Amino acid sequence: MWRVKPLDAILATAEKKSLHRSLGPFQLTMLGIGAIIGTGIFVLTAEAAQKAGPGMILAFVIAGFVCAVAALCYAEMAAMVPVSGSAYTYSYAVMGEMLAWMVGWALILEYAVAAGAVSVGWSGYVVGLIENAFSIDIPDLLVRGPFDGGMVNLPAMGIALVVTALLVVGTRESATVNAFLVAIKVAALGLFIVLAVPVMNMENFTPFMPLGFAGVSAAAASIFFAYVGFDAVSTAAEETKNPQRNMPIGLIGSLGICTIFYILVASGVIGGVGAQPILDASGAGMRPGSPELSAACAALGDTKVVCSKEALAWTLREIGWPQIGNLIGLAAGLALPSVILMMMFGQTRIFFVMSRDGLLPPVLSKVHPKFHTPHVITIITGIFVALFAAFFPVGILADISNSGTLFAFAMVAIAVLVLRRTDPDRKRPFRTPAVMLVAPLAAIGCVYLFISLPHETQLMFVGWAIIGLIVYFSYGYRKSHVAHGSPETHELDADAPPPPVPPIS
């Protein structure tokens, strides 16, 4: 279970059964922005305000710093190993098969659960837009899950299935649609900043940390979800032209652009309407993100930003721009599917590579003869994402997603350090600067944010890891291509004949 798959074997495998290279640096950066800017800023701003008040601005900085140092580690690995698989592939090459499996298993929490969370966020904006535009009240039973005061979130389920169909059609088509949606999203955030920042009331920033630094840490752990999409860029390495140059551009460029947007938007929200409800919720003994607080928000009729399912649109309505607020809601409704698209894109590529390595059934790595996409696993992933979105609220899904992401990021940081020692002469088109400082900071930062997550989320991650170990030892440990000899001779399509048996001497 500690066997590794050498980097040379990984690169040879990708050449034998690879995906089409069609993405350039601009498309990669747009994919990164599309994956990063989404529910985290459009919806989870309210979740962060519950935990940190105005201090959520500092929470964005903390989470962004952890992602920045992790991004530098990711950039080195992605440029050196330009194949699908992200943190899973890197771990397999450096730290052994079992840890690689655990990283891949944790990435299910990052991508699939995150796609469900964004679907729920999209539903909140679309429902809010329809209710405000047509002065109607849509029953909560049909637009909220059972943990959020309803029965089933039908809009969230629907958008997840639509994105699944788009991903089956093809990568180039998906990237083109995504670039258009990213333009809408960036324009919407830019308009919000222009209208909200000039009318900020500085009194709304005091007290800056109503629940102390512990509240800021908890908010950073949750708002980390607003950044996690950047590593989805690395899962597209195998479909990237000139990955040694373009992967670092896509990773670091998209992260830097988004961080600036986040700080400005958070300042506009707090400066415009404040975050006083955090004190009220704390005084009432309600845990941020709890069902009790959701029920209290419902009783208030979403008249507090901390309770709003569409925080940015609601803020603009409160400061005197109701029609622009509706436009922001429309933009979110149009643009958030790009985040769902990238989350599901990343998930299917992780499964594709794990199947190609023999750790999952080979049928999952079948490529569609017409669309050239891994259609089987895309459809399966889409069904599960739709179920997550239908029955769970955005806050719970985001925290669960963060737990898997933080584990994977920490493993990448460790892998960079280990590979610098075990294979120092390998060509590195991009080298992490000050790696002996940056990589440990990334790993420590991930651990810090993980322990700041709710205890229920930490326990859920442990339970998920145990299930993953059971699956690994039941199937992957025995079926692994690396376990049965040279990986290059075993990378065959699911319907290909078995390798020839050598003659007996």
Side-chain angles (χ1 to χ4, degrees), residues 43-416:
V43 179
L44 290 182
T45 306
E47 296 279 338
Q50 290 180 37
K51 299 176 180 180
M56 74 172 180
I57 297 172
L58 180 57
F60 273 115
V61 175
I62 293 172
F65 173 78
V66 174
C67 274
V69 290
L72 292 172
C73 298
Y74 256 96
E76 176 170 324
M77 296 300 293
M80 187 168 49
V81 192
V83 300
S84 291
S86 185
Y88 158 77
T89 299
Y90 312 150
S91 300
Y92 208 161
V94 179
M95 293 181 290
E97 185 175 275
M98 187 184 73
L99 283 177
W101 166 268
M102 293 307 299
V103 169
W105 191 250
L107 288 175
I108 297 175
L109 294 182
E110 175 181 354
Y111 291 119
V113 177
V118 180
S119 298
V120 176
W122 176 88
S123 173
Y125 266 91
V126 170
V127 170
L129 175 64
I130 293 174
E131 289 182 337
N132 279 281
F134 299 100
S135 299
I136 61 175
D137 186 18
I138 301 176
D140 286 348
L141 289 178
L142 302 179
V143 295
R144 296 193 181 193
F147 293 92
D148 211 15
M151 183 175 65
V152 60
N153 195 328
L154 291 179
M157 175 184 284
I159 192 61
L161 295 177
V162 169
V163 171
T164 299
L166 179 62
L167 279 171
V168 170
V169 171
T171 301
R172 180 183 294 275
E173 292 78 5
S174 300
T176 301
V177 172
N178 177 75
F180 173 71
L181 296 179
V182 168
I184 294 176
K185 192 159 46 179
V186 171
L189 290 183
L191 182 59
F192 177 87
I193 292 169
V194 168
L195 295 177
V197 170
V199 297
M200 288 192 303
N201 182 354
M202 299 310 295
E203 293 181 358
N204 288 334
F205 289 91
T206 55
F208 188 70
M209 294 187 292
L211 298 184
F213 195 76
V216 173
S217 298
S222 293
I223 212 67
F224 183 78
F225 182 79
Y227 290 96
V228 298
F230 85 84
D231 73 311
V233 175
S234 69
T235 67
E238 195 170 318
E239 294 160 270
T240 301
K241 295 178 289 187
N242 192 11
Q244 287 78 10
R245 169 182 174 271
N246 295 337
M247 290 306 301
I249 293 175
L251 282 164
I252 299 174
S254 58
L255 183 64
I257 292 170
C258 293
T259 300
I260 295 172
F261 269 108
Y262 284 179
I263 293 174
L264 291 174
V265 170
S267 299
V269 170
I270 295 298
V273 296
Q276 183 61 30
I278 181 62
L279 299 179
D280 303 334
S282 176
M286 300 180 197
R287 181 177 61 83
S290 67
E292 294 81 8
L293 184 56
S294 296
C297 290
L300 289 171
D302 279 351
T303 58
K304 304 284 189 181
V305 66
V306 70
C307 305
S308 178
K309 300 296 181 183
E310 37 158 3
L312 303 191
W314 181 87
T315 299
L316 288 179
R317 296 186 190 114
E318 287 295 301
I319 63 175
W321 298 95
Q323 296 305 319
I324 302 298
N326 289 338
L327 283 178
I328 296 293
L330 177 61
L334 291 173
L336 285 181
S338 68
V339 189
I340 306 171
L341 184 150
M342 271 312 298
M343 293 296 102
M344 292 179 62
F345 178 95
Q347 177 64 80
T348 57
R349 272 49 182 182
I350 297 294
F351 272 143
F352 175 83
V353 178
M354 293 175 75
S355 172
R356 193 169 65 181
D357 288 337
L359 300 183
L360 288 173
V363 68
L364 300 183
S365 60
K366 286 183 69 68
V367 177
H368 195 281
K370 178 181 178 181
F371 301 129
H372 307 293
T373 57
H375 60 293
V376 175
I377 191 55
T378 298
I379 293 171
I380 294 173
T381 300
I383 292 173
F384 277 97
V385 169
L387 293 176
F388 292 148
F391 298 109
F392 292 95
V394 64
I396 292 177
L397 290 174
D399 283 343
I400 295 173
S401 173
N402 286 346
S403 66
T405 306
L406 290 167
F407 176 75
F409 284 12
M411 290 297 102
V412 171
I414 295 172
V416 168

Side-chain angles (χ1 to χ4, degrees), residues 2-82:
W2 302 112
R3 54 199 175 219
V4 299
K5 186 174 183 180
L7 288 178
D8 292 332
I10 291 173
L11 296 172
T13 292
E15 289 299 321
K16 291 194 174 188
K17 187 178 181 181
S18 62
L19 298 170
H20 179 60
R21 296 190 182 274
S22 61
L23 305 177
F26 174 77
Q27 287 174 308
L28 278 177
T29 303
M30 289 298 101
L31 287 174
I33 296 174
I36 297 170
I37 294 182
T39 295
I41 191 63
F42 279 100
V43 179
L44 290 182
T45 306
E47 296 279 338
Q50 290 180 37
K51 299 176 180 180
M56 74 172 180
I57 297 172
L58 180 57
F60 273 115
V61 175
I62 293 172
F65 173 78
V66 174
C67 274
V69 290
L72 292 172
C73 298
Y74 256 96
E76 176 170 324
M77 296 300 293
M80 187 168 49
V81 192

